[in-house]
Amino acid sequence: MSSSTAVSAAPSAAKWKKTLGDGLYTANPITRQILGICSTLAVTNRVDKALVMGAALIFVTGLSNLFLSLLRRLIPNRIRMIAEMAVVSTFVIVIDQFLRGFYWDISRQLGPYVALIITNCIVMGRGEAFALQNPPLLSLLDGAANAAGYAMMLAIVGIFRELLGSGSILGITLLSSAWYVKNQLLVLAPGAFFALGLLIWIFNVINPPVPRETEK
Amino acid sequence: MNITPVWAIFIGSIFTNNILFASFLGMCSFLVCSNKIDTALGLGSAVVFVMFCTTILNYVLYYYLLVPLKLEFLGFLIFIAVIAAFVQFVEMFVERFSPDLYYALGIFLPLITVNCAILGAALFMVIRKYNFVQSTFYGLGAGLGWALAIVLMAGLREKMGYSNVPTPLRGTGVVMMVAGVIAMAFMGFAGMLNIQ
């Protein structure tokens, strides 16, 4: 592949900073690139689920980016999708077995969504777009930064939905049922769509997208 | 062993437990390909077919190969490999024997490998402990439910082209809001039956 750029000297400090900022904010996977929406909607009805899912994704994206970058000269171009899938699924199996072994309760509640990290567009997208062209440590940072941007959005949506839907955060009651009527809709499926729609709206107002020519 | 009757699984997977509106699977292609009804129908029918076949294949491989060998933890790897291989095979087969169908469906097939609804159906089948017949109908129902969802959304988006949506909400934002309203309508059936 394009290994010519990767042969050059170690990336500059500015590049490190830009990679971090892009992942966390400027090109945030959820609000800007609209990737990995499935799990964002599914696991955010409670904050603890959102946090565990975010941590799992940081682990998987960071390490699979690191390994794909280390292997980037060895993977033939034609079978790279399958190679990416194999690397990603390996790390997903590791994190799934870990959660089952040590945090059975939360693993049961997350259900299939941990396994579905395999098809999470963020992991594949970062591998394809970044790790196959960049040196290992920078790729590790890119994967971790993008996943952290994702985890941050998950936490925001999770806090919003759990606080207004169940009146609590991390199971601690903040809005007493004596005066707050819980909005059950936010815990259910439609609430996820509304919450994420609002979040994308707010972020587009704060940080308007640069119009792309490819867009219709 | 799951004792839910087969008809309830079939109807439930289309409406009350719609794989898109209740389990949020397959959102990426749902957001990208719901601009036109034609595209949505093509992708929808490809998903129905692939999901139906891969659920059966995955059931057989999981219960007759991995479980006897006590290799259940390799399930994810097998599922995704089966899906990728099946999609590739179907693409070659359709291209060779039915060029018309290939032009109608062919372009959507590669997209399906990364559609998480397909993998999700296989995972739900294992988590809910469906037997063979239940899995077959679940695969078919979930595929039909997904196709129904994307066609509905495409119809609405075609009409939405004429409405005045606030600029920052355009694109994904408004699709999310509309999806929320449709999800509420689908949940209206939840009192009648709810599959586990």
Side-chain angles (χ1 to χ4, degrees):
Chain A
M1 285 201 63
S2 63
S3 49
S4 55
T5 49
V7 187
S8 60
S12 63
K15 178 109 203 238
W16 287 91
K17 240 172 120 177
K18 185 176 177 306
T19 307
L20 186 65
D22 272 358
L24 279 178
Y25 184 66
T26 344
N28 186 286
I30 291 181
T31 54
R32 186 51 35 81
Q33 304 172 45
I34 320 287
L35 295 177
I37 299 295
C38 313
S39 48
T40 316
L41 293 164
V43 302
T44 48
N45 54 0
R46 291 217 337 246
V47 179
D48 53 353
K49 280 161 81 180
L51 290 179
V52 171
M53 189 68 192
L57 201 90
I58 293 177
F59 173 84
V60 173
T61 319
L63 285 183
S64 65
N65 253 14
L66 175 69
F67 275 78
L68 280 173
S69 177
L70 285 171
L71 293 170
R72 70 185 187 282
R73 310 262 169 77
L74 301 173
I75 300 176
N77 200 11
R78 289 187 56 187
I79 59 153
R80 66 175 199 287
M81 294 292 274
I82 295 176
E84 282 164 22
M85 285 269 185
V87 171
V88 173
S89 351
T90 311
F91 288 112
V92 171
I93 290 174
V94 169
I95 193 83
D96 186 56
Q97 295 291 320
F98 173 78
L99 287 178
R100 270 175 209 220
F102 294 96
Y103 300 95
W104 167 243
D105 209 34
I106 199 109
S107 158
R108 199 171 42 93
Q109 283 171 7
L110 285 171
Y113 294 100
V114 175
L116 283 166
I117 294 178
I118 300 175
T119 49
N120 188 312
C121 321
I122 299 175
V123 188
M124 288 291 282
R126 291 331 290 173
E128 184 82 348
F130 200 91
L132 290 178
Q133 281 100 38
N134 286 286
L137 285 178
L138 194 64
S139 300
L140 175 68
L141 177 74
D142 176 77
N146 271 280
Y150 164 92
M152 193 169 75
M153 290 304 152
L154 236 66
I156 295 175
V157 180
I159 289 171
F160 178 73
R161 287 180 69 192
E162 193 181 340
L163 184 65
L164 296 184
S166 318
S168 61
I169 285 178
L170 289 170
I172 303 159
T173 309
L174 293 180
L175 302 176
S176 151
S177 53
W179 52 271
Y180 179 72
V181 182
K182 289 169 190 165
N183 188 348
Q184 292 287 347
L185 181 71
L186 277 169
V187 185
L188 297 172
F193 288 107
F194 293 134
L196 195 65
L198 277 175
L199 185 81
I200 292 172
W201 189 2
I202 293 169
F203 268 79
N204 278 349
V205 172
I206 302 174
N207 177 15
V210 185
R212 280 176 295 175
E213 281 146 42
T214 49
E215 233 163 10
K216 58 166 177 73
Chain B
M1 188 49 79
N2 195 310
I3 51 149
T4 323
V6 170
W7 64 269
I9 291 180
F10 182 65
I11 304 288
S13 55
I14 298 179
F15 293 107
T16 52
N17 290 55
N18 184 295
I19 199 157
L20 198 132
F21 291 126
S23 312
F24 313 108
L25 296 178
M27 285 303 293
C28 302
S29 30
F30 173 76
L31 292 173
V32 176
C33 296
S34 59
N35 279 322
K36 288 208 187 85
I37 292 191
D38 290 347
T39 323
L41 263 178
L43 185 62
S45 31
V47 165
V48 174
F49 177 67
V50 173
M51 200 184 270
F52 177 63
C53 299
T54 54
T55 312
I56 295 175
L57 277 175
N58 281 330
Y59 181 90
V60 172
L61 278 175
Y62 188 82
Y63 285 105
Y64 294 101
L65 182 72
L66 295 184
V67 173
L69 294 174
K70 302 221 179 333
L71 286 174
E72 288 96 333
F73 66 92
L74 283 181
F76 311 159
L77 213 54
I78 295 286
F79 292 160
I80 201 78
V82 164
I83 293 166
F86 183 78
V87 169
Q88 197 103 63
F89 177 74
V90 170
E91 201 182 349
M92 287 181 334
F93 187 82
V94 173
E95 191 179 9
R96 174 75 181 75
F97 291 103
S98 167
D100 288 348
L101 190 64
Y102 181 73
Y103 286 116
L105 286 188
I107 45 168
F108 302 114
L109 285 171
L111 272 177
I112 288 180
T113 314
V114 287
N115 187 326
C116 47
I118 312 271
L119 180 60
L123 295 168
F124 274 124
M125 160 192 98
V126 171
I127 291 175
R128 293 173 181 166
K129 300 189 172 59
Y130 287 156
N131 64 24
F132 183 73
V133 181
Q134 287 171 324
S135 304
T136 311
F137 278 88
Y138 178 70
L140 185 62
L144 286 173
W146 196 87
L148 177 67
I150 192 169
V151 172
L152 279 178
M153 179 54 84
L156 284 170
R157 276 181 86 167
E158 283 192 357
K159 292 282 173 214
M160 221 147 57
Y162 303 107
S163 14
N164 189 12
V165 180
T167 319
L169 192 58
R170 276 190 194 153
T172 323
V174 75
V175 175
M176 286 286 168
M177 299 289 183
V178 174
V181 178
I182 305 181
M184 279 169 74
F186 272 65
M187 272 183 55
F189 298 103
M192 279 159 45
L193 81 161
N194 205 2
I195 55 170
Q196 295 296 316

